[in-house]
């Protein structure tokens, strides 16, 4: 009997050591990776998949996908928390403000049952200066007992590597053909990826750091410049006629001319309301087209009716065509 107890004890010790080894292997960050704005470390037990973008890695642990993503959003961590909470498809989301982490952030955890199987989803979001690191996974409650603590440890290794600082944002963005005085309240970003094939330049202007979820999206202003000899009137007519084909989807669809930015602009506009949010304010879209020298300019704005007009005027007043 004594010999049996000794053998059983030895087996338990070996199994315990093996389990501890597996736990340590899967929860002790050691291998460094870098994304657009952050570096971080992951445990050796996390196997990197073939899928990789500049902004995201996908790893696997116990056959579950763990996504680690670098995201740039024009908001504070507090507003990000509010935004994710409001837009979450899961109604019972547990929110936890992170403590002891290198940057401010939140953890979002939810549970659901699908075909009798429980699933836990958790996402860590932390960051600074409108740049965030997201870490998320969906798995069974049992696997979550190891994966969730591992992700916590990964998040604590995060280091902000970008040289972007809100305090360093300029008041004036000066380009070859246009300058924009944002007054530090707004910011401009050059958007080369969304240019049409015949466009040579495109910038986006919006809030640097929004304090409400609505201002994360609107007002939104873009300046596109073309050197294809296109006619401002033809561009405006083309956009207006396309909307006219589905006129029942829009209100206040108009086509006229406006004196803007020191030019007589070809202009069309329309309004639309959300189908899913009945009490939301109408969203207005205005398109202005004009020419100078060999270039055609298209300035487009999207904004909430009866609330964003003052902000829009500030944006317009800051635009100078060279």
């Amino acid at each position: 009997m004594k010999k049996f107890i000794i053998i059983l004890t030895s087996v338990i010790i070996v199994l315990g050591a093996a389990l501890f080894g597996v736990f340590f292997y899967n929860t002790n960050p050691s291998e460094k990776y870098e994304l657009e704005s952050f570096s971080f470390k992951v445990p050796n037990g996390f196997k990197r998949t073939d899928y990789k973008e500049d902004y995201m890695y996908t790893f696997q642990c116990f056959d579950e996908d763990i996504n680690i993503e670098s995201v740039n959003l024009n908001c504070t961590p507090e507003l990000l928390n509010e935004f994710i909470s409001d837009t979450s498809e899961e109604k019972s989301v547990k929110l936890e403000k992170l403590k002891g982490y290198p940057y401010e952030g939140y953890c979002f955890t939810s549970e659901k049952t699908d075909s009798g199987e429980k699933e836990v989803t958790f996402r860590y979001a932390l960051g600074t200066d409108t740049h965030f690191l997201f870490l998320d996974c969906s798995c069974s409650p049992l696997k979550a007992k190891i994966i969730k603590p591992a992700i916590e440890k990964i998040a604590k290794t995060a280091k902000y590597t970008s040289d972007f600082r809100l305090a360093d944002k300029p008041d004036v963005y000066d380009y070859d053909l246009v300058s924009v005085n944002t007054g530090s309240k707004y910011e401009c970003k050059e958007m080369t990826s969304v240019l049409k094939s015949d466009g040579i330049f495109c910038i986006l202007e919006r809030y640097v750091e929004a304090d409400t979820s609505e201002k994360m999206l609107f007002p939104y202003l873009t300046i596109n410049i073309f050197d294809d000899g296109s006619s401002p009137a033809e561009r405006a007519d083309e956009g207006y006629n396309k909307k006219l084909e589905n006129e029942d989807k829009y209100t206040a669809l108009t086509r006229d001319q406006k004196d803007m930015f020191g030019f007589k602009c070809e202009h069309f506009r329309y309004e639309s309301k959300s189908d899913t949010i009945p009490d939301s304010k109408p969203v207005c879209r205005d398109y202005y087209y004009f020419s100078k020298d060999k270039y055609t300019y298209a300035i487009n704005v999207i904004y909430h009716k009866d609330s964003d007009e003052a902000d829009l005027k500030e944006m317009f007043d800051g635009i100078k065509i060279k």
Side-chain angles (χ1 to χ4, degrees):
M1 183 67 179
K2 187 175 181 181
K3 185 177 181 181
F4 174 76
I5 292 173
I6 292 173
I7 294 172
L8 182 61
T9 303
S10 300
V11 170
I12 291 172
I13 291 172
V14 170
L15 286 174
L19 289 172
F20 176 79
V22 170
F23 183 81
F24 184 83
Y25 187 67
N26 283 289
T27 59
N28 185 48
S30 57
E31 191 169 355
K32 186 176 178 180
Y33 291 88
E34 291 191 8
L35 287 171
E36 183 182 27
S37 300
F38 290 90
S39 69
F40 57 92
K41 292 181 179 180
V42 302
N44 287 326
F46 278 50
K47 301 303 179 184
R48 202 185 96 186
T49 68
D50 292 336
Y51 179 78
K52 193 263 178 185
E53 297 284 353
D54 290 340
Y55 62 89
M56 183 171 72
Y57 279 104
T58 299
F59 299 89
Q60 281 198 328
C61 181
F62 297 117
D63 297 322
E64 301 293 348
D65 285 345
I66 295 95
N67 298 312
I68 303 179
E69 181 179 8
S70 180
V71 180
N72 301 342
L73 296 169
N74 61 324
C75 67
T76 61
E78 293 86 356
L79 182 53
L80 175 62
N81 167 41
E82 177 187 323
F83 184 75
I84 293 179
S85 302
D86 291 346
T87 57
S88 173
E89 295 179 0
E90 301 295 331
K91 300 303 179 184
S92 55
V93 179
K94 179 183 175 183
L95 303 176
E96 173 191 358
K97 186 170 183 178
L98 300 180
K99 296 180 181 179
Y101 288 74
Y103 307 102
E104 189 173 354
Y106 295 83
C107 175
F108 309 83
T109 308
S110 63
E111 291 188 15
K112 68 178 181 179
T113 301
D114 187 14
S115 301
E117 297 290 330
K118 278 190 175 181
E119 183 179 74
V120 180
T121 298
F122 44 91
R123 166 176 284 185
Y124 287 78
L126 66 158
T128 180
D129 284 314
T130 70
H131 289 50
F132 298 94
L133 188 67
F134 286 1
L135 309 93
D136 62 72
C137 178
S138 296
C139 61
S140 69
L142 183 60
K143 289 182 179 180
K145 291 187 180 297
I146 292 181
I147 295 177
K148 192 170 186 288
I151 290 182
E152 288 178 358
K153 290 185 178 181
I154 294 171
K156 288 182 178 180
T157 71
K159 288 187 178 180
Y160 185 52
T161 58
S162 173
D163 59 0
F164 174 89
R165 297 291 185 275
L166 284 176
D168 297 334
K169 297 301 291 178
D171 284 354
V172 178
Y173 291 78
D174 195 27
Y175 302 100
D176 290 341
L177 298 174
V178 62
S179 69
V180 184
N181 187 335
T182 63
S184 75
K185 183 177 180 180
Y186 313 100
E187 69 172 342
C188 286
K189 290 184 178 180
E190 195 164 347
M191 308 293 286
T192 55
S193 62
V194 297
L195 286 176
K196 293 182 178 179
S197 59
D198 56 350
I200 62 167
F201 180 75
C202 176
I203 56 173
L204 159 70
E205 182 181 4
R206 63 178 180 179
Y207 269 92
V208 176
E209 192 175 30
D211 55 7
T212 68
S213 55
E214 285 188 341
K215 287 181 179 178
M216 282 181 67
L217 304 174
F218 307 123
Y220 180 110
L221 181 149
T222 61
I223 302 175
N224 286 269
I225 301 177
F226 306 90
D227 65 350
D228 58 356
S230 57
S231 161
E234 288 177 358
R235 282 189 175 272
D237 286 341
E238 181 182 5
Y240 173 76
N241 290 333
K242 283 183 179 178
K243 294 296 177 290
L244 201 59
E245 293 172 2
N246 299 286
E247 193 174 5
D248 56 319
K249 295 183 179 180
Y250 312 106
T251 58
L253 179 59
T254 57
R255 170 75 174 90
D256 55 14
Q257 293 181 325
K258 298 282 185 182
D259 291 322
M260 298 286 290
F261 320 110
F263 298 88
K264 183 172 289 293
C265 300
E266 301 294 335
H267 168 256
F268 81 93
R269 74 179 302 274
Y270 62 92
E271 298 174 12
S272 58
K273 289 200 69 172
S274 171
D275 294 331
T276 56
I277 310 175
D279 297 328
S280 64
K281 296 175 183 176
V283 174
C284 306
R285 290 171 171 82
D286 284 72
Y287 299 79
Y288 302 89
Y289 301 90
F290 60 91
S291 291
K292 183 184 180 186
D293 300 328
K294 65 175 183 177
Y295 301 106
T296 300
Y297 293 74
I299 299 181
N300 309 332
V301 292
I302 306 175
Y303 58 100
H304 283 118
K305 187 177 183 179
D306 300 327
S307 63
D308 293 335
E309 282 80 0
D311 288 320
L312 206 58
K313 185 178 185 305
E314 284 186 56
M315 289 180 166
F316 284 163
D317 290 343
I319 296 174
K320 180 182 178 181
I321 307 300
K322 294 184 177 180

